[in-house]
Amino acid sequence: MIFTGSAQAEQTLRIGYQKFNSLNILKSTGALERALAPEGIRVAWYEFAAGPQLLEAMSTGAIDLGHAADAPSVFAQAAGKPVVYLAAEQPYPKGIGILVSKDSPITDVAGLKGQRVATGRGWNAQYLLAVALQQAGLSYKDIQPAYVSNAADAVAALQSGSVAAATLWDPFLAAAEQKQPVRNLRDGEGLTNNRTFYLSTAAFADTHRALLHTFFSELAKASTWANAHPKDVAQLLAPQLGIDASTLEVASSRRNYNAVAITPAIVAEQQRLADTFQGLGLIPHAIRIQDAVYPATVVP
């Protein structure tokens, strides 16, 4: 939280978001701004290409609150960034995938052995790749990861033929499936719940508990509406995100936007993810997810 002037009445809540999430919907409605205006709080929104960049900004104090997927959240904790879990969205396993070109001779995940695969460090789709390889009797070391920093670069690498496969998440996954000659070898169904988490710092949450309650109350209203109106969500977000409505409708129809409190079962999910990455040597040491869970409930 920053001050835009000397008075308490000139506070600004800084929220980080990525393309396609309930935060996009909340931003579009203006409901949070209306709810906070009587308290003299304005809202500033900052878009990030992916979770790792958003969480880096949070750790340096550039934003107060935001969302990221399961894997970036684990990588941030492993790197010692002072971020805490506030809430989680519902499972979204079909929102991630491993794509190959439509005419690729690769027909299953086992066929990725020895191949170059475009993915990002700390992506939710990187975790999908790791556990899908394990299920196929392979390990992460059996492929050649080609690390990229955003979804556009992953798609470009697949299109150029410099990689045999690419990992993606919605809405970029839906866009590729709708617009590109690709096949989805594997989504997250049965492998990973692919949750989105809402995160902040303990210092911010301790000081602004009432504000967080207002934030999650308004988010719940937007999410409930979104779950019932995927077509309307697509029409609402298309101009904001620069992605066509038909693609967004596909992505939205396979998602549940509602946020819930962090439960022991969700902590266990994240712990399995963290242990997998640590076992692969992708994070330097073991971590305890519970240590990064904010101890107070902020979801109404």
Side-chain angles (χ1 to χ4, degrees):
M1 183 83 85
I2 62 171
F3 295 92
T4 56
S6 59
Q8 180 74 17
E10 296 177 314
Q11 296 177 89
T12 300
L13 172 63
R14 303 164 300 170
I15 300 177
Y17 70 100
Q18 304 166 59
K19 289 185 184 296
F20 187 59
N21 182 268
S22 48
L23 284 183
N24 297 108
I25 301 165
L26 183 60
K27 177 178 184 290
S28 296
T29 66
L32 183 61
E33 285 83 348
R34 291 191 294 274
L36 293 177
E39 302 175 40
I41 300 173
R42 63 182 294 269
V43 182
W45 300 88
Y46 299 89
E47 183 179 330
F48 293 86
Q53 295 94 318
L54 187 153
L55 294 174
E56 176 64 27
M58 185 179 294
S59 72
T60 62
I63 59 173
D64 304 307
L65 178 66
H67 68 93
D70 44 17
S73 303
V74 160
F75 272 71
Q77 183 182 356
K81 300 187 187 304
V83 299
V84 293
Y85 296 95
L86 300 177
E89 279 192 4
Q90 301 287 347
Y92 187 22
K94 291 188 176 297
I96 47 177
I98 304 169
L99 299 183
V100 296
S101 297
K102 193 171 184 179
D103 59 357
S104 171
I106 298 171
T107 58
D108 54 26
V109 174
L112 295 176
K113 185 175 182 178
Q115 301 293 328
R116 282 170 51 84
V117 181
T119 192
R121 298 181 188 273
W123 286 5
N124 53 348
Q126 184 190 27
Y127 178 63
L128 169 63
L129 175 62
V131 292
L133 288 167
Q134 288 178 342
Q135 186 187 56
L138 303 175
S139 79
Y140 196 78
K141 295 179 180 179
D142 286 317
I143 58 117
Q144 301 175 49
Y147 290 115
V148 295
S149 59
N150 56 61
D153 288 347
V155 172
L158 185 60
Q159 289 175 326
S160 72
S162 64
V163 298
T167 69
L168 284 176
W169 68 97
D170 273 342
F172 309 107
L173 172 65
E177 289 174 322
Q178 295 288 303
K179 308 296 183 182
Q180 303 293 332
V182 297
R183 287 184 285 111
N184 194 341
L185 284 183
R186 188 69 165 89
D187 62 24
E189 197 73 44
L191 288 177
T192 169
N193 276 334
N194 181 37
R195 291 185 190 269
T196 290
F197 289 91
Y198 294 91
L199 303 106
S200 184
T201 64
F204 180 84
D206 286 344
T207 308
H208 300 96
R209 199 81 58 78
L211 186 153
L212 288 174
H213 184 88
T214 300
F215 167 80
F216 280 110
S217 293
E218 295 302 324
L219 185 70
K221 296 173 190 175
S223 299
T224 298
W225 173 83
N227 286 334
H229 301 90
K231 186 181 289 290
D232 292 332
V233 168
Q235 294 293 334
L236 179 70
L237 295 186
Q240 180 189 145
L241 302 184
I243 297 174
D244 66 90
S246 62
T247 294
L248 290 176
E249 185 176 353
V250 170
S252 191
S253 66
R254 57 195 185 194
R255 182 170 199 163
N256 184 328
Y257 291 95
N258 287 340
V260 297
I262 304 294
T263 65
I266 293 174
V267 171
E269 281 179 20
Q270 278 295 87
Q271 191 64 57
R272 286 193 294 273
L273 188 152
D275 292 346
T276 296
F277 276 132
Q278 193 270 329
L280 293 172
L282 297 176
I283 59 175
H285 53 80
I287 59 173
R288 183 173 179 266
I289 295 298
Q290 185 62 48
D291 292 342
V293 176
Y294 190 64
T297 300
V298 294
V299 180

